[in-house]
Amino acid sequence: MKFRPLHDRVVIRRAEGDIKSKGGIIIPDTAKEKPQEGTVIAVGQGARDESGALIALDVKAGDAVLFGKWSGADVKIDGDDLLIVKETDVMGIVETQ
């Protein structure tokens, strides 16, 4: 990918949504709810505080994260549907064992 987010922005690839309901009904794309979970693809260098010092981000590329339902901007980069959010829109990192 030839895109580098600036400041405290994070690029996320959404997780795939369910294609079937628990009852076995196939859900069409238009009725699917967008997942609120995804994988971090790229991060900016961080925000600056009032004195100009760089504050590093807590998330890094490869982290599985949860984010707000209406967060960020949907974009298409190199044919991939991605989401760009500020780090404050990320609610947490999903720990995998």
Side-chain angles (χ1 to χ4, degrees), residues 7 12 23 63 75 80:
H7 309 295
I12 298 172
D63 283 347
V75 295
D80 290 331

Side-chain angles (χ1 to χ4, degrees), residues 47-95:
R48 299 214 177 255
D49 64 10
E50 292 175 7
S51 65
L54 189 66
I55 302 170
L57 301 180
D58 291 330
V59 296
K60 62 186 181 307
D63 283 347
V65 295
L66 295 175
F67 50 88
K69 187 171 193 168
W70 307 109
S71 299
D74 291 314
V75 295
K76 185 169 261 199
I77 301 173
D78 293 337
D80 290 331
D81 290 322
L82 302 172
L83 179 70
I84 300 176
V85 300
K86 287 190 164 247
E87 187 190 30
T88 54
D89 292 334
V90 175
M91 293 187 282
I93 298 172
V94 178
E95 297 290 334

Side-chain angles (χ1 to χ4, degrees), residues 8-26:
D8 62 340
R9 289 181 177 79
V10 179
V11 180
I12 298 172
R13 177 175 290 123
R14 286 184 193 266
E16 294 296 320
D18 293 333
I19 59 171
K20 285 187 179 182
S21 68
K22 292 182 182 181
I25 298 171
I26 296 176

